[in-house]
Amino acid sequence: MSGAKSASGAARQRRAERRQATYDEMLSLARDALREGRPVSLRAIAAEMGMTAPALYRYVDSHAALQEALSASILDDVLVRVQEAASAWPAQRHGHRLVASLVAFRNWALDRPEEFRLVFGRPRDPQGSSLPMPGQVPIAVSFVCHFVGAVADLHRAGTFAAAPAEQVPERAVASLQRLAEMCSEQGRPIEAPVGLWWRAVTYWVMLCGVVRMEIDGVPGAALVADGAMFWEAVGVCGEAAGVPAENLANARADIAAAA
C-alpha cells in the first residue's frame, strides 16, 4: 500500500512539474511577443507551443487573465532587479539605496518599454473595456512598498520630511491606510505617518510619469540620454521633502561611478 501511495505521489509531482513548465513557457513566449511588438494572444502563443488555444485555457481562462499573469511575472522580475540594486549599498546608506532603486527602475523601463507600458498603463481588451490593473496583483503591492519603505528609512534618519497631516486630502487617507495594511499582509509592515505615505506615493507617481514620458520620447532623445528631465524631477521631489541637495548629488555620483 505504501508503495502505491508513493507512486501516486510521484505521479502527481510529475504532473505538477509539467503544468508549471507549460505555464512558465507560456509566460516566456508572451513576454517575448510583447517585447517584439507581436500580438500577445492565447491563439498565437498556443501555436508557438504546438498546442491549441483551448488547451491553454486550463492555465489562463481569458485574454485578461493572461495579461494579469504577464504583469505579475514582469513585476516580479523588476522588483528583484530594484531590490538587488538597493542591496548593493550598506543598510545605513538610505539615500544611496533609494536612488539606486530609482535608477534601476528607470533603466528597466528604458530597456523594456513595452513591459513598462503594460504594467504601469491601462491595457484594454479588444472590446475596449479596462483590463484588471496590476495593482490587483500581490507582487505589485510589494513593489510599491519597496519604494515607500525606502522613503520611510530616510524619514527615520531625519532626511525626508512627511507632509503635514492637514495637507493630506481627506479622500486619500483611507486608500493610504489600505495600502499600508496590504504591505503588512505581504510581510512588509511600514510604520510611517500618513503624511509620509502621501508624499512618498505622490512622488512615486510623479517619477513614474516622467519615466513614461521618457520612454515615449516626449522630452527628446538628448534629454532622455543624459537623464536631465528625470534627475530634475528627482531633485524637485527631494527638495520639497527636505533632502539635502548635496546628499542627492553624492548618491547620484557614487551610483554612476559604481555602474
Side-chain angles (χ1 to χ4, degrees):
M1 180 64 73
S2 61
K5 288 184 177 179
S6 177
S8 176
R12 285 196 299 271
Q13 178 65 26
R14 287 193 296 272
R15 286 196 296 271
E17 290 174 352
R18 287 196 296 270
R19 180 178 177 83
Q20 186 63 49
T22 301
Y23 184 81
D24 291 343
E25 182 183 5
M26 175 189 69
L27 289 182
S28 177
L29 291 172
R31 291 183 68 170
D32 288 344
L34 180 67
R35 288 193 294 268
E36 294 165 10
R38 294 184 283 111
V40 182
S41 67
L42 288 170
R43 184 180 299 278
I45 293 168
E48 286 194 66
M49 296 175 69
M51 301 170 62
T52 63
L56 284 185
Y57 282 118
R58 290 179 293 175
Y59 301 90
V60 288
D61 60 9
S62 65
H63 180 66
L66 174 62
Q67 294 273 27
E68 188 171 351
L70 185 56
S71 295
S73 174
I74 292 168
L75 282 165
D76 196 4
D77 285 352
V78 71
L79 177 61
V80 170
R81 183 184 297 197
V82 166
Q83 289 175 330
E84 288 178 346
S87 64
W89 298 93
Q92 67 274 18
R93 303 190 76 173
H94 307 303
H96 283 64
R97 292 169 70 88
L98 175 56
V99 173
S101 294
L102 293 173
V103 170
F105 174 79
R106 176 179 182 264
N107 288 344
W108 161 74
L110 293 176
D111 185 49
R112 303 286 179 89
E114 294 307 323
E115 291 189 354
F116 176 92
R117 291 188 182 100
L118 175 67
V119 298
F120 289 99
R122 277 192 177 272
R124 306 183 74 83
D125 68 17
Q127 286 71 46
S129 61
S130 294
L131 296 174
M133 288 300 293
Q136 298 174 356
V137 182
I139 191 65
V141 176
S142 299
F143 188 86
V144 173
C145 289
H146 169 82
F147 178 76
V148 178
V151 169
D153 288 339
L154 279 174
H155 177 67
R156 284 189 291 272
T159 54
F160 195 106
E166 61 272 16
Q167 290 185 11
V168 180
E170 188 174 336
R171 62 186 178 278
V173 173
S175 296
L176 295 171
Q177 290 173 339
R178 179 55 187 145
L179 181 56
E181 291 170 1
M182 294 172 77
C183 287
S184 294
E185 291 166 3
Q186 292 294 313
R188 181 67 187 272
I190 300 173
E191 294 295 330
V194 67
L196 187 74
W197 278 91
W198 170 248
R199 183 159 273 174
V201 172
T202 298
Y203 291 172
W204 171 242
V205 171
M206 290 169 60
L207 291 173
C208 276
V210 171
V211 172
R212 175 59 187 264
M213 298 291 274
E214 286 189 307
I215 68 171
D216 286 342
V218 175
L223 290 176
V224 174
D226 63 11
M229 186 166 291
F230 172 77
W231 287 112
E232 178 71 13
V234 172
V236 168
C237 292
E239 182 180 4
V243 177
E246 182 180 1
N247 290 11
L248 180 59
N250 289 340
R252 177 182 173 183
D254 290 345
I255 290 164

